[in-house]
Amino acid sequence: MEPVGPPRLPRVVGPALSLAARVFDRVEHGWESARTRRRTADGLVLVFVGALVAVELRRRGLLPAGLAEHVSTSHFAALGTVFTALLLVETVALVLALADSVAGSVGKQFELFSLILLRDAFKALGHLGEPVEWATAQGAILEALADGAGALAVFGGVILYGRLQRHRRITSDEREQARFVAAKKAVALALLAAIAVAAVDDACLYLGGTDPYPFFDSVFTALIFADVLLVLVSLRYTSTYAVVFRNAGFALATVILRLALVAPAVPGVLLGVGATAFVLALAWVYDRTPLLPDSPLPPDHA
């Protein structure tokens, strides 16, 4: 049975944060409902079938000239299209995870990156002509293999990362913890709004005949600023060195992923795999470090 509604926040949270958190809770509750999941799955099926139909119509010369120039002549391109739609869904899930756990949202970032690599592999195959000929397909196939191998390596890292997580609170004070959760929800809500604006802007550029900017590059750029903002927000509730270092390290990993998206295929894969290894090492060390409570400095060091 689905929950009746989002949980109420304690009264210790201020009115502005409380409002943002309530809006976020409603968005999260609606997005994670069984009805939304079913409609999302149905929508992805329609996108895939529609992309295949559009390619076939283009191949038969049945599309208007203005529309035909935006449609590939290879059926493999439909794979890249539906994976792009799936990435949009996963982007929303990533932002919603930010409020639940900073460490969990980092895992979602790497999940998204691995799916981007798979999407890029399918997009490389989309450049193949039909029928496929080995003489002209070698470059695309090698690029697809590089992206696929990188996606597999990152996938393995995400599984290990999930097993390392212990999700420890940064403060034992219930009031402070409630404020921190509300602050994370406010940051996540702002991030979700920024990504929605970027998506609409990108769509308007595309429909207007202008080349859109790389949408997921913008997503990871926004994630960098959100991660840094959370590092600063967390300082209100703890100044424990291990927590600050871990959160700053997560922001650095996001920067590396952002660079991986604009790098050529092989260097981009290596950067992504390197960022995965960095986060795994960071999580392993952090989860074995005791979180000592913050203590005031001695009078002679104050």
Side-chain angles (χ1 to χ4, degrees), residues 53-127:
V53 171
V55 170
E56 186 61 27
L57 292 176
R58 165 69 191 279
R59 289 170 62 88
R60 296 177 181 272
L62 298 178
L63 286 180
L67 180 60
E69 64 183 12
H70 297 292
V71 178
S72 174
T73 57
S74 172
H75 290 95
F76 287 107
L79 300 173
T81 300
V82 73
F83 260 82
T84 298
L86 176 60
L87 287 172
L88 293 174
V89 175
E90 290 299 319
T91 298
V92 177
L94 188 163
V95 176
L96 295 179
L98 187 65
D100 182 51
S101 166
V102 175
S105 71
V106 171
K108 285 288 185 180
Q109 289 183 30
F110 281 87
E111 289 180 18
L112 182 64
F113 181 75
S114 68
L115 291 175
I116 289 175
L117 289 179
L118 282 181
R119 190 276 308 265
D120 289 347
F122 285 122
K123 286 181 68 175
L125 294 177
H127 296 304

Side-chain angles (χ1 to χ4, degrees), residues 232-273:
L232 301 178
V233 169
S234 68
L235 293 176
R236 289 177 52 89
Y237 309 102
T238 181
S239 59
T240 303
Y241 170 68
V243 175
V244 175
F245 186 91
R246 182 202 66 161
N247 291 347
F250 286 159
L252 175 60
T254 306
V255 172
I256 298 174
L257 290 183
R258 174 64 179 82
L259 295 174
L261 291 176
V262 298
V266 175
V269 167
L270 294 177
L271 282 172
V273 173

Side-chain angles (χ1 to χ4, degrees), residues 15-82:
L17 281 182
S18 179
L19 175 61
R22 287 199 302 272
V23 173
F24 176 88
D25 287 339
R26 291 188 179 278
V27 171
E28 182 182 37
H29 177 68
W31 180 261
E32 295 183 348
S33 66
R35 177 181 297 180
T36 301
R37 288 196 298 270
R38 289 193 296 269
R39 289 180 176 177
T40 300
D42 293 342
L44 291 173
V45 171
L46 290 176
V47 168
F48 183 50
V49 174
L52 287 173
V53 171
V55 170
E56 186 61 27
L57 292 176
R58 165 69 191 279
R59 289 170 62 88
R60 296 177 181 272
L62 298 178
L63 286 180
L67 180 60
E69 64 183 12
H70 297 292
V71 178
S72 174
T73 57
S74 172
H75 290 95
F76 287 107
L79 300 173
T81 300
V82 73

Side-chain angles (χ1 to χ4, degrees), residues 2 24 27 29 43 51-52 57 93 145 151 157 173 178 205 248 276-277 283 297 302:
E2 296 181 22
F24 176 88
V27 171
H29 177 68
L52 287 173
L57 292 176
L145 286 175
D173 186 288
L205 289 174
T276 306
L297 294 173

Side-chain angles (χ1 to χ4, degrees), residues 107-108 110-111 114 153-163 276 280:
K108 285 288 185 180
F110 281 87
E111 289 180 18
S114 68
V154 176
F155 170 74
V158 168
I159 299 301
L160 292 176
Y161 177 80
R163 293 178 179 177
T276 306
L280 281 174

